[in-house]
Amino acid sequence: MARPLSDQEKRKQISIRGIVGVENVAELKKGFNRHLHFTLVKDRNVATPRDYYFALAHTVRDHLVGRWIRTQQYYYEKDPKRVYYLSLEFYMGRTLQNTMINLGLQNACDEAIYQLGLDIEELEEIEEDAGLGNGGLGRLAACFLDSMATLGLAAYGYGIRYEYGIFNQKIRDGWQVEEADDWLRHGNPWEKARPEYMLPVHFYGRVEHTKNGAKWVDTQVVLALPYDTPVPGYMNNTVNTMRLWSARAPNDFNLRDFNVGDYIQAVLDRNVAENISRVLYPNDNFFEGKELRLKQEYFVVAATLQDIIRRYKASKFGSTDSVRTVFDSFPDQVAIQLNDTHPAMAIPELMRIFVDIEKLPWSKAWEITKKTFAYTNHTVLPEALERWPVDLMEKLLPRHLQIIYEINQRHLDRVSALFPSDVDRLRRMSLIEEGGIKRINMAHLCIVGSHAVNGVAKIHSDIVRTQVSCFNEAVAVSGCLKFCLLAPTWGSFVLSCRTDLNCLYANPGLLMAFLSEPRFKDFAELEPGKFQNKTNGITPRRWLLLCNPGLAELIAEKIGEDYVKDLSQLTKLHKFVNDDIFIREVSKVKQENKVKFAQFLEEEYKVKINPSSMFDVHVKRIHEYKRQLMNCLHIITMYNRIRRDPTKLFMPRTVIIGGKAAPGYHMAKMIIRLITSVAHVVNNDPVVGNKLKVIFLENYRVSLAEKVIPATDLSEQISTAGTEASGTGNMKFMLNGALTIGTMDGANVEMAEEAGEENLFIFGMRVEDVAELDKKGYNARDYYDKLPELKQVIDQIKGGFFSPKQPDLFKDVVNMLFHHDRFKVFADYEAYVKCQDKVSELYMNSKEWTKMVIRNIASSGKFSSDRTIKEYARDIWNVEPSDLKIPPPNVPRDVGEDKTSNDTTARSTAEKRKL
C-alpha cells in the first residue's frame, strides 16, 4: 500500500514525482470512479483488477489529452521545422507510470488510489508491456521520443503497430520456448485510431515509361491505418505523437475472385495484406531476408512519407495562406532520421514521389532528398547488415529498383571522376553487389542518400569511419574461417557452421560476396564531413525517477530537482563522495531495492536469495558477441573453487542472467540451455549453499529491467572489443548505482573516460589487440592447454557434468568455442576471472564500494538521451531545443513564453553558430 500522507505533507510536499494536494487527489478520485463506472459491463457488479487499471489509465489520459491537443495546435500555428524519427522498433514498455511522472501526477495518484483502498503497484503490474522492439535499438527510439518531447522539439515517431510484439519467453526443462505476445488482447487505453488519415500503400505491379515520365501501374494496394499514442515531455505540458501504422486490406481486395464465385477465398485473402503488421520479426543484430520483412519496411516508409508531405503542404491553422506547392523549403521544414537501415526504402520512395508525382527534375529531387535524410548506423556485425536480393526488389517494388539503379549510376560516375581507373573502389562502393546473388546494400544506400551518418559511441563511430571492412578481411587473413557452401548469407553461416564445413576459399563467388560487405572507410574518404558521432543516452525519467524513486529523491535532497532535465548536474554529487551520511543513505537505498527484488525472485523462481550477496547481473539479448558464455564459464569456475575448498572465505554472489534468443538462432538457444543447466546444479548443491546462486530471468523485457537494474551491484558489459556499437543497458546500471565490469567496447569507453578507468572494472583485449590476434590467428586450444581452471570447466561441460542424462548435449557449444568462436571467449577468460576476483575483494569493503558507486552516479550525466537529442538537433536536424512550457488546458493559450523557439529565428541562430 502507498504510505498515507499527513495533511501537512499534502499541503507542502513538492517532489520530482509531482505535487500532492487535496484538490488533485479529489479530482483524480472523481475521475477514477467515473471511468470505473463506464468500464464495468452492465450485467456485472464486481470490478476486476483489470477494470481498476483501465479506470486509472483513462483518468490519467484525461490529463494528457488537453495538453496533446494544445501541443499540436501550437505546432500547426507556429509551423516549426519538424523532426520525423523513422524506426521499425519502438520498445516502449509500460505507459501508465511514465505518464504520471511526466505530468507530475505520481504522488497525487498514489494518494488517491490509497484512499480508494487499492494498491497502485498492483494496478501498474496489470499493464501489458508494449513489446514493439527487440532490444537496444527499439529502446533507444523510445528514450529519444521522451527526450524530444521534454526538449520541446516538434517531433514524431513513426513505426508499425505490430499486433504481436516480441515473443513471450518461457523456460521449459531449461529450453527457451516462444509464445505469441498478444499484447493488444485486452485493448490499449493509450492509443487513438485515426481512420481519417488512412493511406494507400502499393506493391508489385509494373512500370510504364511515358512521355510524362514513369508510371507504376497494376499494383496491389494495402491501406495503412494510423494509431496515435501521446508522448508527454517532463513537466512542460508538451505532448508529442508516436504514429504507428496498421495494415488493412481495401474492401475490393481480390474481389475479382468473388465475381467467379469464390467469395470465401476473397475474404480469406485479406489476411495476406493485413499480415504486414501482424508480427515483429524477433531478430536483433541479425538480418533475415524474407519478403514479409521487406514489405514491412516499405509499408511504414510509404505511409509515413505521404503523411509528412501532407503535413508539409498544409496551410497554417486559421490562415488564408496558400498551401505549399514548392519543395525548395522542404529540408528547412522536414528532418527525417533513419534508425538503422530498416527504413532505408524511404530514400528511393521520396525520390519516386518527387520525380514521378511532383514532377521535379532528378537533380533537384536528389538535392532535397539528401538534405532531408540522416542515417544512424547501429552495428558493425556483418550478419546484421541488410542486403536485399535484386530479384525480390524487382518483383515487389519494380519502380524503386529502377530508382536505386539510377542513384547508383550517378554515385559511381562521381566516384569514377574522383578516382579514375580505380575499379576495385567502384566495386566496393557500389549500391549493387554483383558477387553471387545480386543484392542491394542498404547501408550504402543510406550513406549515399543522407547528408549525415552517425555511429552511436565514439569507438563505434571511429570503426565506421576508418575500418577497411566490417569483419571479413581480418578473418580471411587468419585463415580459420570456414563456410558452408550452401549458406547464402553470413547469418546462415553462423547457424550452419556446426556441420558439413568447407573452406570459404573453395567458393570464389561467395568470397567475393562477403568481401563486399560495407566499407564505410571509402565513403568517409569521399565525404569526410558527412560522418559524425552521437553517443547514445537514456531517459532519466524512466530509468531513475520511475524505477528507482528512493535514489532519485535522495539525489534531489542533495543537489535539487533540476538534474531531472539536466543530468549533467549529477557532477555536484562528487563533493559527497566522502560524506559518511550520504554513503550510508546510498547503501541503504541499494539494499532496500535488493530486498524487494530478492522477494520477487523467491516468489517467481522458488530459490532462496540472500539480499546481502552481491547481485551480479547480465541482462541483454542472447548473442555470441555479448559473451554470456564467458559469464557462464566464470560461474562454473566459482562453483569449482567453492567445492574445492568449502571452508575458504567466499564473497556470496547471486548471478542473474536474462535475455531472449532469436527463435532461429541455435547457438543462442544452446547458451540459454547451458546456463539453466548450470543453475540447476549450482542451486541444488548443499556444499555451495548460499555462497552462489544462479538465476536465469525468464522473459526479460522493459518492465522487468525496471525491477532488476535498481537492485544490481555489478553490471556485466563483456562483449568482445569492437563488436558492441554502444549499449544503453550499461548506462542504466551506472545511473542506478551499479559498478561495471566490462571490456573497452561501445559506450564503456566513454563511461571510463567520465568516471575514470579506476572506477570501473575494465579487463581484456582492446580493439587493436583483437585485430592483432586476428592477424596472428586465434587458436582456442592454446588457452585451454595453459589454463587449468578453464580446462576443468570445458571438460565438465563436454563430459556431461551439467547434463548427466544427455552427456553430448553441449557438444555444439564446445565445438564452437574451439573451432568457430569469432568472439574469442577463451582469449579473455583469464583476464575476466582475475578482474572478477578484484570485484569480490572490493565488495567486501562496503564503504569503499559505495564511494565508487557515488563516483559512477556523479559521472553518468553525459549519458542522458536529452544530451544526445540536443546534439542531433543542433548538428544534424538544424533545430534548437525549446524551453517553452505550453500552458495547460485550464490556462489561456497566450500565457506561454518561448524562451528559445525552434522556429526560423532559432534555426538562423543555429546556422550562425555553425558558421
Side-chain angles (χ1 to χ4, degrees), residues 109-279:
C109 284
D110 284 351
E111 179 65 15
I113 295 302
Y114 177 83
Q115 290 184 14
L116 290 165
L118 301 169
D119 187 335
I120 195 167
E121 288 190 8
E122 289 183 5
L123 299 188
E124 289 166 353
E125 285 297 314
I126 291 170
E127 183 177 358
E128 300 279 350
D129 275 51
L132 305 181
N134 281 291
L137 178 145
R139 185 53 235 172
L140 181 76
C143 284
F144 279 1
L145 292 186
D146 178 274
S147 286
M148 287 188 279
T150 298
L151 293 169
L153 297 178
Y156 304 77
Y158 275 95
I160 293 180
R161 180 183 180 265
Y162 300 104
E163 189 175 330
Y164 295 90
I166 181 68
F167 62 87
N168 286 323
Q169 178 196 57
K170 300 292 183 184
I171 302 298
R172 293 184 182 147
D173 298 323
W175 294 98
Q176 170 178 296
V177 176
E178 300 88 26
E179 293 184 353
D181 173 26
D182 190 6
W183 72 287
L184 290 169
R185 65 188 179 278
H186 298 295
N188 177 8
W190 304 105
E191 68 181 8
K192 175 76 172 77
R194 304 299 300 274
E196 66 272 27
Y197 292 118
M198 190 152 54
L199 295 165
V201 176
H202 299 261
F203 294 99
Y204 304 108
R206 58 188 176 83
V207 180
E208 287 182 354
H209 290 278
T210 69
K211 63 180 181 180
N212 294 320
K215 294 182 70 175
W216 187 16
V217 298
D218 297 338
T219 58
Q220 188 179 107
V221 175
V222 176
L223 298 178
L225 173 63
Y227 285 79
D228 287 355
T229 300
V231 180
Y234 178 69
M235 303 290 280
N236 66 349
N237 297 323
T238 294
V239 182
N240 284 341
T241 302
M242 177 178 68
R243 176 161 287 184
L244 303 180
W245 301 101
S246 181
R248 296 287 187 271
N251 286 334
D252 60 350
F253 185 83
N254 273 4
L255 278 184
R256 57 183 175 274
D257 293 336
F258 171 63
N259 293 330
V260 294
D262 199 351
Y263 165 73
I264 298 297
Q265 189 59 47
V267 174
L268 292 177
D269 282 352
R270 294 172 64 90
N271 286 335
V272 175
E274 296 179 357
N275 280 342
I276 290 173
S277 60
R278 191 81 67 199
V279 63

Side-chain angles (χ1 to χ4, degrees), residues 644 783-793 795 829:
R644 194 180 304 127
Y783 302 92
Y784 171 83
D785 290 336
K786 77 175 183 180
L787 300 173
E789 284 191 313
L790 175 62
K791 184 177 188 301
Q792 181 186 8
V793 168
D795 288 348
Y829 167 82

Side-chain angles (χ1 to χ4, degrees), residues 137 178 496 520 556 662 686 787 825 855:
L137 178 145
E178 300 88 26
S496 63
F520 300 158
L787 300 173
V825 169
R855 291 189 196 103

Side-chain angles (χ1 to χ4, degrees), residues 764-779:
M765 296 180 290
R766 312 289 170 112
V767 170
E768 56 272 20
D769 299 322
V770 175
E772 189 62 33
L773 186 55
D774 277 325
K775 290 179 182 177
K776 185 178 85 170
Y778 170 62
N779 186 348

Side-chain angles (χ1 to χ4, degrees), residues 7-190:
D7 290 339
Q8 185 179 14
E9 286 175 314
K10 291 173 188 175
R11 287 193 303 270
K12 290 186 176 180
Q13 185 185 32
I14 297 178
S15 142
I16 48 179
R17 287 154 63 90
I19 300 171
V20 174
V22 176
E23 299 83 2
N24 291 348
V25 172
E27 182 186 356
L28 287 165
K29 286 167 65 178
K30 184 178 178 181
F32 180 89
N33 286 322
R34 183 177 68 253
H35 283 294
L36 183 62
H37 172 75
F38 286 116
T39 300
L40 291 177
V41 181
K42 288 181 180 179
D43 60 354
R44 180 160 53 85
N45 295 320
V46 180
T48 66
R50 192 171 301 280
D51 293 329
Y52 291 133
Y53 159 72
F54 271 91
L56 177 57
H58 285 115
T59 303
V60 173
R61 193 184 68 177
D62 287 346
H63 289 260
L64 196 59
V65 170
R67 292 167 171 83
W68 194 12
I69 293 170
R70 275 268 172 108
T71 301
Q72 302 311 311
Q73 286 176 334
Y74 176 82
Y75 293 159
Y76 202 17
E77 293 170 5
K78 298 296 184 182
D79 196 27
K81 183 173 185 177
R82 289 170 167 86
V83 175
Y84 298 97
Y85 197 81
L86 270 61
S87 179
L88 268 285
E89 300 180 25
F90 287 96
Y91 205 1
M92 302 300 288
R94 292 170 175 164
T95 298
L96 173 60
Q97 192 179 0
N98 187 72
T99 302
M100 290 190 296
I101 286 173
N102 280 10
L103 294 184
L105 293 174
Q106 176 77 75
N107 285 331
C109 284
D110 284 351
E111 179 65 15
I113 295 302
Y114 177 83
Q115 290 184 14
L116 290 165
L118 301 169
D119 187 335
I120 195 167
E121 288 190 8
E122 289 183 5
L123 299 188
E124 289 166 353
E125 285 297 314
I126 291 170
E127 183 177 358
E128 300 279 350
D129 275 51
L132 305 181
N134 281 291
L137 178 145
R139 185 53 235 172
L140 181 76
C143 284
F144 279 1
L145 292 186
D146 178 274
S147 286
M148 287 188 279
T150 298
L151 293 169
L153 297 178
Y156 304 77
Y158 275 95
I160 293 180
R161 180 183 180 265
Y162 300 104
E163 189 175 330
Y164 295 90
I166 181 68
F167 62 87
N168 286 323
Q169 178 196 57
K170 300 292 183 184
I171 302 298
R172 293 184 182 147
D173 298 323
W175 294 98
Q176 170 178 296
V177 176
E178 300 88 26
E179 293 184 353
D181 173 26
D182 190 6
W183 72 287
L184 290 169
R185 65 188 179 278
H186 298 295
N188 177 8
W190 304 105

